[in-house]
């Protein structure tokens, strides 16, 4: 057996021992396989390892093969394979969001590294860097976790290095929404300018956001059949397709997003006024509202003559941007800020509890509502405390 052990000399003159051993045939191709081991300082140590591997082969156990560079995968290659599977499981808008974050913050750093050479220490350093420099770093970490899990399943790596990484707590900066909300006075100022300077449907759209807290995509996907009396059934959202087209999703963001909310008299009146105006506009353009949309885009009449189309998500953003350019004194927020504003005003005024707000906003988890908005219940808590103390004072001692 010792003839299988080969002696060789390093450039510095030191003697080492190595061997080559035949493995079981590849179960997929039926081809013969071999593996090499080298660097042993004595023949006895080389012989010991040779005997151990020989016994594993005889038992039919897998002996790790040293792969060539052509056989090994980079992280980007594994990511690309995983992406094809992920694509068919999620909505287009989720797919675009995930790939955008990964290709901006993950692939440029990790993409060209061989996935079997990425260590827990390297990943820990990278994750710490993300936590310090990126607000929503959890989205990138989620991709990392999934790609490594996929790579284990495919046999590209034997052990998952990500399992040994400590994930930092969520960056508190992501929970600060003060910069993206308005006071009651600022909201009134915004709605005043929108009413006198924008189209009527734009004004109705922003009144709806500020008086219900619904997501902008949910508002743009509303159908007239969703409105029954003063009850509004929220069950759709717009999303962006793989080719950047605007589509209406048959399902909302999550199961809790499918909800019914009660509209106040002003909001209901505005919607009814807009419904009559819309019908008049449709007749003028010789169009049928085949999608039954509340908010209809008339921008692509040449491309889709006679057919209604939903607005893209940029519609509200563009209107706000133009308004902010004309009035530099307006606080710079985006359309989502109207949702935050509704939530904070509802809580600070005592109109809603956090549990009520969770349903109104369509949050899947109560902790999400608590995390973002608990601090705005301070006045509500003080008022509740005063009521409790007043009640306790009525109890005879």
């Amino acid at each position: 057996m010792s003839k299988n052990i080969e002696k060789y000399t390093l450039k510095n003159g030191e003697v080492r021992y190595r061997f080559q051993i035949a493995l079981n045939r590849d179960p997929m191709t039926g081809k013969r396989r071999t593996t090499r081991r080298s660097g042993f300082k004595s023949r006895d140590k080389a012989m010991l390892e040779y005997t151990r591997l020989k016994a594993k082969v005889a038992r039919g156990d897998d002996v790790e093969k040293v792969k060539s560079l052509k056989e090994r995968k980079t992280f980007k290659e594994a990511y690309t394979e995983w992406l094809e599977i992920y694509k068919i499981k999620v909505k287009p808008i989720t797919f675009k969001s995930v790939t955008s974050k990964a290709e901006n913050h993950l692939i440029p750093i990790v993409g060209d590294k061989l996935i079997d050479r990425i260590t827990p220490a390297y990943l820990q350093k990278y994750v710490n860097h993300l936590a310090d420099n990126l607000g929503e770093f959890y989205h990138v970490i989620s991709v990392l976790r999934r790609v490594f899990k996929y790579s284990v399943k495919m046999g590209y790596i034997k052990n998952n290095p990500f399992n040994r990484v400590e994930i930092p707590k969520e960056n508190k900066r992501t929970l600060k929404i003060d910069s993206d909300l308005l006071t009651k006075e600022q909201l009134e100022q915004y709605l005043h300018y929108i009413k006198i300077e924008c189209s009527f449907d734009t004004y109705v759209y922003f009144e709806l956001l500020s008086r219900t807290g619904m997501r902008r995509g949910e508002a743009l996907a509303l159908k007239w059949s969703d409105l029954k009396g003063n009850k509004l059934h929220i069950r759709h959202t717009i999303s962006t397709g793989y080719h950047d087209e605007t589509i209406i999703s048959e399902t909302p963001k999550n199961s809790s997003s499918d909800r019914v909310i009660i509209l106040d008299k002003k909001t209901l009146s505005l919607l009814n006024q807009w419904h009559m105006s819309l019908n008049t506009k449709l007749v003028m353009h010789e169009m049928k509202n085949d999608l039954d949309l509340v908010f209809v885009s008339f921008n692509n009449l040449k491309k889709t003559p006679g057919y209604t189309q939903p607005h893209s998500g940029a519609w509200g953003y563009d209107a706000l941007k133009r308004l902010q350019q004309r009035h530099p004194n307006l606080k710079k927020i985006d359309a989502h800020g109207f949702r935050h504003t509704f939530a904070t005003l509802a809580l600070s005024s005592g109109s809603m509890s956090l549990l009520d707000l969770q349903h109104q906003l369509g949050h899947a988890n109560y902790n999400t509502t608590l995390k973002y908005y608990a601090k705005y219940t301070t006045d509500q808590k003080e008022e509740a405390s005063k009521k409790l103390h007043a009640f306790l004072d009525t109890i005879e001692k």
Side-chain angles (χ1 to χ4, degrees), residues 9 21 51 82-84 102 135 137 151 165 173 178 185 193 209 234-236 246 251 266 273 293 295 340 354 384-385:
T9 305
I21 188 170
T51 304
W82 166 79
L83 213 54
E84 289 302 310
F137 71 96
S151 297
V165 174
R173 289 179 300 173
D178 291 9
E185 292 72 24
Y193 283 131
L209 296 185
I234 302 172
R235 50 182 167 176
H236 306 287
T246 301
T251 55
K266 179 178 179 179
Q273 290 176 55
L293 294 170
F295 298 104
H340 287 320
L354 280 168
S385 179

Side-chain angles (χ1 to χ4, degrees), residues 61-270:
D61 294 346
D62 181 49
V63 177
E64 184 180 359
K65 179 184 176 182
V66 179
K67 297 179 181 178
S68 67
L69 285 176
K70 289 184 179 180
E71 295 175 302
R72 297 162 76 184
K73 297 282 186 180
T74 64
F75 181 88
K76 185 176 182 179
E77 289 171 332
Y79 162 79
T80 302
E81 289 182 13
W82 166 79
L83 213 54
E84 289 302 310
I85 299 171
Y86 182 69
K87 184 177 182 179
I88 63 178
K89 294 182 177 180
V90 297
K91 296 177 182 177
I93 191 169
T94 303
F95 180 80
K96 289 176 72 69
S97 175
V98 168
T99 54
S100 174
K101 290 182 175 68
E103 288 166 16
N104 283 330
H105 303 287
L106 180 57
I107 300 304
I109 308 299
V110 187
D112 62 348
K113 295 186 172 7
L114 290 169
I115 198 160
D116 60 358
R117 297 297 300 273
I118 298 176
T119 64
Y122 174 83
L123 288 176
Q124 186 68 67
K125 186 176 180 180
Y126 172 68
V127 166
N128 292 345
H129 171 78
L130 279 180
D132 290 337
N133 295 279
L134 183 64
E136 296 180 338
F137 71 96
Y138 269 52
H139 297 292
V140 180
I141 286 178
S142 176
V143 174
L144 261 179
R145 179 184 290 110
R146 293 172 188 228
V147 173
F148 277 107
K149 187 175 180 180
Y150 169 81
S151 297
V152 171
K153 287 183 178 179
M154 293 297 104
Y156 302 149
I157 53 177
K158 203 167 187 179
N159 299 303
N160 188 345
F162 197 82
N163 288 342
R164 296 164 64 184
V165 174
E166 292 290 333
I167 308 301
K169 289 185 178 180
E170 189 171 14
N171 194 327
K172 295 302 182 183
R173 289 179 300 173
T174 66
L175 307 183
K176 294 181 179 179
I177 60 173
D178 291 9
S179 60
D180 200 26
L181 59 84
L182 304 170
T183 64
K184 181 175 179 291
E185 292 72 24
Q186 289 171 329
L187 175 61
E188 290 171 347
Q189 186 181 36
Y190 252 106
L191 292 174
H192 170 74
Y193 283 131
I194 293 172
K195 183 177 183 179
I196 63 176
E197 297 184 22
C198 299
S199 61
F200 185 50
D201 58 338
T202 303
Y203 171 61
V204 175
Y205 171 69
F206 280 105
E207 279 280 7
L208 187 63
L209 296 185
S210 63
R211 299 176 81 87
T212 66
M214 63 194 310
R215 298 178 179 93
R216 55 192 183 278
E218 294 171 338
L220 294 176
L222 282 176
K223 300 181 179 184
W224 290 112
S225 57
D226 297 328
L227 182 61
K228 304 293 184 184
N230 67 342
K231 295 179 181 179
L232 185 63
H233 188 178
I234 302 172
R235 50 182 167 176
H236 306 287
T237 188
I238 62 162
S239 61
T240 304
Y242 298 119
H243 304 291
D244 292 325
E245 73 278 19
T246 301
I247 58 178
I248 296 178
S249 173
E250 289 303 312
T251 55
K253 185 175 181 180
N254 55 62
S255 59
S256 298
S257 297
D258 189 328
R259 62 200 188 278
V260 174
I261 61 174
I262 307 300
L263 300 180
D264 64 282
K265 290 182 180 179
K266 179 178 179 179
T267 304
L268 190 58
S269 174
L270 285 172

Side-chain angles (χ1 to χ4, degrees), residues 177-183 185-187 189-190 193 320-321 323-325 327-335 337-338 340-341 376:
I177 60 173
D178 291 9
S179 60
D180 200 26
L181 59 84
L182 304 170
T183 64
E185 292 72 24
Q186 289 171 329
L187 175 61
Q189 186 181 36
Y190 252 106
Y193 283 131
L320 287 180
K321 188 175 181 180
L323 205 65
Q324 291 162 358
Q325 288 173 343
H327 303 280
N329 59 313
L330 287 173
K331 184 176 180 179
K332 301 297 185 291
I333 65 164
D334 60 25
F338 285 76
H340 287 320
T341 299
Y376 300 100

